Amino acid sequence: MPAGTLVLYTDQPARRADLLRALEQIAPCTTLGAAEPPPSATCIALVADLDLLVPAPLTGLRSLIASTPDLPRVFLMRSMGTRSLSAARGLGGRLCLPAETPVGTVVEALRAQIRPPAAPPKPTAPVAGSAPGVPLVAQAADRAGAVIASLLESARASGTVDAALVNESLDPILGAIGVGGLTAWLETVRAYDDATYQHCLLVAGLAATFAIDLGFSATDRQLLVRAALVHDVGKAKIPLAILNKPGPLDPAERTVMCTHAALGHEILVKAGGFDETVLAVVRHHHEMLDGSGYPDGLKGDAIPDIVRLITVCDVYAALVERRPYRPPLPAAEAMRILHGMKGKLDGYLVRAFERSVAGT
Ligand SMILES: [Fe+2]
Ligand SMILES: [Fe+2]
């Protein structure tokens, strides 16, 4: 851990003694009001615990951020609404957690930034139990990543998968999204160096967020996240040279890639234990309302709502994820493209999805 002080900018120092004690486990911590100048000692990280919707001078906070733009930081948010989040982002707050996040999770989130881990290893087996000291979000992502890895590995090797395995990661994902919010989830899963794991985790996080915001029952939330996690299982049967090609696919390669939807459906039917809804998502998540999708060219009402919902999450995830040949698209640009797919995507769901993503 580098030498120096942490800085806690807070507008309620008397109420955050617990947070201060927890932060001091990392390094000495200086508590300041948002207008107070930063300490002269070297700062190694920043926690902002401020109501960003209340007009107040933030001169000290801004001066610290301006002098050390890469300073590790966590913003604790009184509100996870759009206005509050855009204020935090305007201050370079990439990791925004609700104010009620357990202090241990805040400490771990900060530690992870101060000493960033190497890119997570490609997991090969489910992570059993809870590893102490691992942040909730990272822990859920690791567990879900391990499930996806195991799923793809077994589909690749034997052409079948274990339905029960998928269920292990549903509650951790929903819990991590509920506590950490979508922003923290996206930040965490973007560290995965395997494009397919990263994509499935992104789609699962987006689906969990969407399901929570749409007021789905616990059972339906789990169903949606289960479908999201396995939606691309057919990619296990796509040659790695195509799957991991560090550039856009040519038409012949694209044709091969498009077989993943039908292949995934076949794998899950053979495995047994997956309900009809999940099977429909896996086979039809690339169908478009105008019939231009694949593999069956379904149109309009022939595409069930839950499939349409995952399709929206899937298209958005593909746009905002990191690719070897292009940086992730900003959220606003990705939403613009989704709105432009009129006639192909369900416009009502795209608008609801936009509200959901913006509100987290
Ligand atoms: Fe797909
Ligand atoms: Fe996908």
Side-chain angles (χ1 to χ4, degrees):
M1 196 63 62
T5 180
L6 296 173
V7 181
L8 168 61
Y9 271 112
T10 179
D11 51 15
Q12 48 178 9
R15 296 182 57 199
R16 295 319 307 255
D18 58 336
L19 178 62
L20 183 60
R21 271 197 304 276
L23 293 175
E24 286 188 328
Q25 293 168 16
I26 303 179
C29 183
T30 307
T31 303
L32 297 169
E36 291 183 83
S40 50
T42 305
C43 298
I44 58 170
L46 154 72
V47 176
D49 169 54
L50 301 163
D51 186 345
L52 297 175
L53 297 182
V54 172
L58 303 174
T59 43
L61 176 65
R62 286 188 197 282
S63 144
L64 175 59
I65 289 169
S67 64
T68 42
D70 293 328
L71 188 66
R73 72 196 68 164
V74 171
F75 276 65
L76 295 176
M77 310 297 294
R78 306 288 158 77
S79 147
M80 296 297 278
T82 313
R83 280 180 57 224
S84 196
L85 281 174
S86 62
R89 290 194 186 114
L91 292 161
R94 291 180 300 275
L95 183 55
C96 300
L97 302 174
E100 59 275 17
T101 301
V103 292
T105 304
V106 177
V107 166
E108 292 306 335
L110 218 47
R111 272 193 211 276
Q113 291 183 61
I114 295 170
R115 188 189 289 160
K122 292 172 185 170
T124 52
V127 178
S130 303
V134 179
L136 179 69
V137 174
Q139 191 180 312
D142 275 352
R143 186 178 293 197
V147 166
I148 289 166
S150 177
L151 212 65
L152 291 171
E153 213 32 66
S154 131
R156 199 168 279 141
S158 66
T160 187
V161 294
D162 177 2
L165 183 63
V166 181
N167 297 339
E168 290 180 14
S169 56
L170 304 180
D171 285 336
I173 292 177
L174 283 159
I177 294 287
V179 172
L182 182 62
T183 309
W185 180 260
L186 297 186
E187 291 287 332
T188 305
V189 305
R190 277 201 179 115
Y192 270 72
D193 57 0
D194 183 294
T196 306
Y197 301 165
Q198 185 193 144
H199 172 72
C200 293
L201 290 171
L202 274 173
V203 177
L206 291 165
T209 307
F210 207 4
I212 291 169
D213 287 350
L214 290 174
F216 278 23
S217 68
T219 309
D220 287 345
R221 289 178 194 183
Q222 290 192 341
L223 179 64
L224 201 67
V225 176
R226 188 184 298 120
L229 278 174
V230 302
H231 81 281
D232 270 340
V233 68
K235 287 186 178 171
K237 291 292 186 188
I238 302 299
L240 290 175
I242 294 179
L243 198 61
N244 296 332
K245 184 181 174 185
L249 300 181
D250 66 29
E253 291 164 339
R254 180 156 293 284
T255 303
V256 174
M257 180 63 108
C258 288
T259 60
H260 79 275
L263 287 172
H265 180 255
E266 200 178 298
I267 289 167
L268 296 196
V269 169
K270 183 177 167 194
F274 290 93
D275 62 38
E276 286 303 320
T277 307
V278 173
L279 295 178
V281 166
V282 172
R283 185 172 181 93
H284 297 304
H285 66 277
H286 288 285
E287 306 283 5
M288 295 287 138
L289 292 175
D290 61 3
S292 63
Y294 63 87
D296 299 319
L298 295 187
K299 269 188 177 177
D301 290 346
I303 306 174
D305 285 347
I306 190 159
V307 175
R308 298 175 185 206
L309 218 144
I310 293 288
T311 302
V312 171
C313 297
D314 187 40
V315 174
Y316 181 84
L319 293 169
V320 301
E321 65 203 25
R322 180 170 43 83
R323 293 284 165 91
Y325 52 93
R326 64 149 175 82
L329 284 187
E333 176 66 8
M335 279 314 310
R336 201 185 58 72
I337 293 173
L338 255 62
H339 283 300
M341 293 177 72
K342 275 198 181 75
K344 293 182 181 295
L345 300 177
D346 184 319
Y348 171 80
L349 286 178
V350 169
R351 287 190 292 278
F353 179 77
E354 182 171 31
R355 286 193 295 275
S356 176
V357 171
T360 9

